Amino acid sequence: TFAVFSDYSRNAIRMSSLMKQRVVHVLTHDSIGLGEDGPTHQPVEHVSSLRIIPGLDVWRPCDELETAVAWSEALERRDGPSVLVLSRQNLAQYGNPEDRADGIRRGGYVLSEADGAPQAVIIATGSEVSLAMVAQATLKEQGIAVRVVSMPCTRHFDQQSSGWRKQVLPPEVCRISVEAGQTDFWHKYVGTDGEVLGIDEFGESAPAPALFERFGLTAEHLVQTVLRTIASFGGNDGDF
């Protein structure tokens, strides 16, 4: 688990990737959601650090179906290891539309389409997908069309064709990402005109709802970030 994530754990994951071995690492306690245990049990930097290990598939699923697909992909892989980064929180379930599993396998896909041409795209993973969905509904009430993209595995998404990536993340539409972790990694997906909601400091010891509020990881804050980003967006930005 992340709670006992150590140099040994990191080296074991790194070595399995270096050796291209089919090892499935299952990690828990994926965010600040385990609030009362304090910052030692809140791996705000670990997920991003794992994603930059060459050849490692890092999956942070948002619900049961994404977890099942991630597990299947990890078992079927023959050329390297996978990490499943799981939450201890109770997460919403988003059903099983016919084409959703294929999108999950691609690493990033449109989970919830905008009502009309999208004015912004919210990219989210894991427990923060629920924030994106609430923000989308709130913005819809204000006449703002927003697409929600779930990106459970960035490495799989990066391996897709340019056409697929641009279909999911249109370059002409501003992008905002949200994840309860370090923010630097996500700038490659939102571009210089986009915004990243995350945590660039160690966590604190408090109930999880209080921590999410403190760090601005709320649907309300996300809504305001989307509105601000739309207002300042300069146009086609980024390769995706």
Side-chain angles (χ1 to χ4, degrees):
T1 71
F2 273 128
V4 292
F5 197 75
S6 63
D7 288 341
Y8 175 82
S9 305
R10 190 185 304 276
N11 286 337
I13 293 172
R14 184 175 182 274
M15 286 303 296
S16 64
S17 187
L18 181 65
M19 298 171 67
K20 300 181 180 180
Q21 295 297 303
R22 187 190 65 175
V23 180
V24 184
H25 306 272
V26 179
L27 308 180
T28 64
H29 306 59
D30 70 332
S31 75
I32 59 173
L34 193 68
E36 291 85 347
D37 284 5
T40 57
H41 288 60
Q42 297 168 20
V44 295
E45 79 279 20
H46 290 157
V47 179
S48 288
S49 70
L50 290 173
R51 288 185 178 121
I52 63 175
I53 295 177
L56 178 65
D57 284 349
V58 179
W59 293 89
R60 187 169 185 248
C62 75
D63 69 353
E64 183 179 88
L65 180 60
E66 285 194 1
T67 303
V69 172
W71 179 252
S72 175
E73 289 292 299
L75 292 181
E76 292 175 4
R77 189 177 181 194
R78 293 293 184 270
D79 61 350
S82 304
V83 172
L84 273 64
V85 182
L86 305 179
S87 175
R88 289 192 64 196
Q89 300 161 255
N90 293 324
L91 303 183
Q93 303 298 310
Y94 299 106
N96 188 16
E98 184 177 342
D99 59 347
R100 188 172 168 226
D102 178 65
I104 297 169
R105 292 187 185 95
R106 291 173 180 262
Y109 65 103
V110 179
L111 174 62
S112 181
E113 186 55 279
D115 186 13
Q119 297 169 260
V121 176
I122 301 176
I123 308 166
T125 71
S127 53
E128 288 69 70
V129 168
S130 63
L131 298 181
M133 297 291 280
V134 173
Q136 181 195 45
T138 301
L139 288 160
K140 181 179 179 180
E141 293 175 355
Q142 301 178 25
I144 306 296
V146 172
R147 168 185 292 181
V148 173
V149 166
S150 178
M151 194 175 290
C153 184
T154 58
R155 184 170 180 268
H156 275 226
F157 183 75
D158 292 347
Q159 291 172 338
Q160 303 307 307
S161 68
S162 174
W164 172 265
R165 298 196 309 268
K166 290 181 179 179
Q167 178 182 332
V168 174
L169 302 178
E172 69 277 7
V173 180
C174 65
R175 285 154 270 160
I176 302 92
S177 71
V178 55
E179 184 176 64
Q182 213 275 340
T183 63
D184 286 351
F185 178 86
W186 289 100
H187 287 285
K188 65 181 287 189
Y189 299 104
V190 304
T192 56
D193 286 345
E195 290 284 346
V196 179
L197 284 188
I199 305 172
D200 288 323
E201 58 184 290
F202 289 111
E204 301 286 350
S205 182
L211 290 181
F212 278 91
E213 182 74 30
R214 181 194 187 283
F215 290 112
L217 291 169
T218 65
E220 294 81 4
H221 189 200
L222 181 55
V223 165
Q224 293 305 312
T225 302
V226 171
L227 293 173
R228 184 175 64 250
T229 307
I230 291 174
S232 63
F233 184 58
N236 192 335
D237 180 44
D239 293 333
F240 289 102

